[in-house]
Amino acid sequence: MSTTVGTIAKRPLRSALVALLAGLLPLLAATFLTAPAAAARTETPAAAPAAALTEITNFGTNPSNLRMYVYVPNRVTTRPAVLVAVHYCTGSGPTFYSNTEYASLADRYGFIVVYPSVTRSSKCFDVSSPQALTRGGGSDPVGIKSMVDWVTRTYKADTSRVFATGTSSGAMMTNVLLGDYPDVFAGGSAFAGVPFGCFATTGGSEWNSECANGNVIHTPQQWGDLVRKAYPGYTGARPRMQLWHGTADTTLHYPNFGEEIKQWTNVRGLGQTPSATDSPQSGWTRTRYGASGDKAPVEAISLQGVTHDVLKAGMAARVITFFGLDGGGTVPQPEPGTCKVAVTANAWDTGLTASVTVTNTGTTAVGGWKLGFTLPSGQTVTSGWGATVAPASGAVTATNDTYNAAIAPGASVGFGYQASHTGNSAAPSGFTLNGTACTAG
């Protein structure tokens, strides 16, 4: 069977957009970037090109005609983990790639990201039909499972470290994937979703108003039974789940958050009393069930006053921490010594400018570069020159412009950015050049 791939243009920076969710659901805020246009497809017998969003066709059974996009960083770990990142209604795989931080986190930590893309007119995932809510029943979950199988075969990925995350329709699909395929997915993270089975409908409708309005209330056992019914007879391990929801969500109303907690604690054999409760950020209430640390079986974050547009900069890094993909001894860290980074910053009350110099201290020329680094808390990039910096906060990546792509041994290139801050004007840290750690100074 042949494999067709097509490379998608790199992500350009843009002003924030907010799309409407199929006339019903407010979309995830496109905070920093715009979706790239697809280039012509090219034939290749092997894997996807590195560090470019690539469309894969002929990936396997695909009953609902989904499109598959994959992002493979320049440097992947041995037996890499796989993250399925699922878009919202009216979105697409390329849009979710551009508007989220998962690809830049993949650059840092060496995992592979799959972006499924709906082709039906609503651009919503099927989380309602009997086919979707049954393991192997057909529709979107089967196609997504085929995408995972393609990646694990092609890259010899770690089948014990396959995860799913999504927002809105993608969050609902995350719940569905974990219910249908508990033997495939080790964990999920759902932003503003509903429990598995809550959106079930008859007559082919994609929308369930009773569920969306938060009126479908069950006991933990009843919710858990809906999940177990999707794969009768399964007795293996069940995935871990992280849940996010805003208290002011009027699209998929906030009661769905509590119903999701009931469902996944029951699926994991846990009670309703948290093992730990804290507030990692102002306005957040985090409850953990079954354990108190980052690897709790169920973690739930309630966001006070937040609407359906819940996924914001920095949250993806918390997803990666929950999944255990941010190091933890599983990702070999390169030794510094082939690059050096110096930063000069000038700050004022609420802003700063930073000039960054990258020096190639190795013996091999660099033909194109991506500089990863971490901005201090409270800093947000507002503009830049000499490189494209994305996302705007947290773990960011600066990608070369055309004119400064090459760095000869012993040579340097520079770029800069302007940022706002909330009191912390410190320099960034944790520099990596094309995945290799750099010395600072």
Side-chain angles (χ1 to χ4, degrees):
M1 178 179 293
S2 67
T3 299
T4 306
V5 302
T7 302
I8 306 298
K10 295 294 195 291
R11 297 161 283 176
L13 193 63
R14 69 164 169 127
S15 59
L17 297 176
V18 179
L20 295 178
L21 195 159
L24 296 166
L25 307 181
L27 294 184
L28 163 70
T31 317
F32 311 117
L33 307 172
T34 188
R41 301 176 187 176
T42 57
E43 294 290 337
T44 176
L53 186 66
T54 302
E55 183 175 7
I56 306 296
T57 62
N58 300 326
F59 52 83
T61 304
N62 183 24
S64 55
N65 196 34
L66 297 178
R67 297 176 74 171
M68 174 187 177
Y69 298 87
V70 65
Y71 181 81
V72 182
N74 276 318
R75 182 176 178 274
V76 297
T77 61
T78 302
R79 299 188 69 230
V82 179
L83 175 62
V84 178
V86 194
H87 67 74
Y88 39 85
C89 281
T90 78
S92 69
T95 302
F96 206 54
Y97 160 80
S98 296
N99 294 340
T100 58
E101 300 165 298
Y102 296 114
S104 62
L105 290 163
D107 287 334
R108 177 159 297 192
Y109 297 118
F111 57 88
I112 295 170
V113 191
V114 177
Y115 298 91
S117 194
V118 172
T119 58
R120 65 178 61 89
S121 60
S122 68
K123 300 299 177 68
C124 297
F125 285 92
D126 176 14
V127 297
S128 306
S129 73
Q131 292 79 15
L133 297 174
T134 304
R135 176 187 174 85
S139 196
D140 296 346
V142 169
I144 294 172
K145 166 66 162 51
S146 295
M147 297 177 195
V148 170
D149 290 343
W150 186 92
V151 170
T152 56
R153 287 194 310 269
T154 303
Y155 293 96
K156 296 181 174 58
D158 187 346
T159 56
S160 70
R161 294 193 301 147
V162 177
F163 304 92
T165 187
T167 185
S168 193
S169 179
M172 293 191 277
M173 178 51 70
T174 296
N175 278 267
V176 168
L177 289 172
L178 268 59
D180 285 355
Y181 295 102
D183 54 335
V184 174
F185 292 93
S189 180
F191 288 83
V194 304
F196 177 99
C198 184
F199 237 61
T201 60
T202 58
S205 174
E206 294 181 42
W207 185 253
N208 184 322
S209 294
E210 283 295 298
C211 178
N213 292 336
N215 296 329
V216 179
I217 307 298
H218 292 317
T219 66
Q221 183 69 34
Q222 288 170 330
W223 280 124
D225 287 345
L226 285 176
V227 171
R228 289 182 283 269
K229 183 181 177 182
Y231 188 4
Y234 178 73
T235 59
R238 293 283 178 172
R240 298 166 57 239
M241 178 60 100
Q242 182 186 64
L243 303 165
W244 303 73
H245 221 108
T247 62
D249 191 337
T250 57
T251 301
L252 298 176
H253 288 240
Y254 185 67
N256 283 299
F257 178 61
E259 300 305 296
E260 285 179 297
I261 294 172
K262 288 182 190 178
Q263 183 170 70
W264 291 104
T265 51
N266 180 266
V267 167
R268 291 291 307 225
L270 305 171
Q272 299 297 293
T273 302
S275 300
T277 302
D278 65 357
S279 182
Q281 191 166 308
S282 177
W284 294 16
T285 301
R286 178 173 61 188
T287 51
R288 287 168 164 166
Y289 302 83
S292 58
D294 289 334
K295 303 303 184 293
V298 177
E299 177 177 275
I301 303 96
S302 173
L303 308 169
Q304 183 63 39
V306 174
T307 63
H308 191 62
D309 175 24
V310 64
L311 178 56
K312 300 294 185 183
M315 292 180 178
R318 293 180 181 269
V319 173
I320 298 310
T321 295
F322 179 75
F323 292 157
L325 301 183
D326 57 351
T330 61
V331 179
Q333 298 299 317
E335 293 295 325
T338 61
C339 49
K340 181 179 179 181
V341 179
V343 180
T344 301
N346 294 295
W348 57 93
D349 290 345
T350 60
L352 61 86
T353 59
S355 297
V356 183
T357 302
V358 183
T359 302
N360 179 1
T361 58
T363 58
T364 303
V366 175
W369 52 268
K370 290 186 175 185
L371 185 74
F373 55 93
T374 301
L375 291 171
S377 177
Q379 291 188 16
T380 302
V381 174
T382 56
S383 62
W385 54 94
T388 300
V389 181
S393 61
V396 305
T397 301
T399 303
N400 63 267
D401 280 346
T402 302
Y403 75 90
N404 64 358
I407 317 176
S412 301
V413 296
F415 70 94
Y417 59 87
Q418 183 168 320
S420 61
H421 68 81
T422 58
N424 185 356
S425 59
S429 60
F431 298 101
T432 60
L433 181 65
N434 293 345
T436 299
C438 299
T439 57

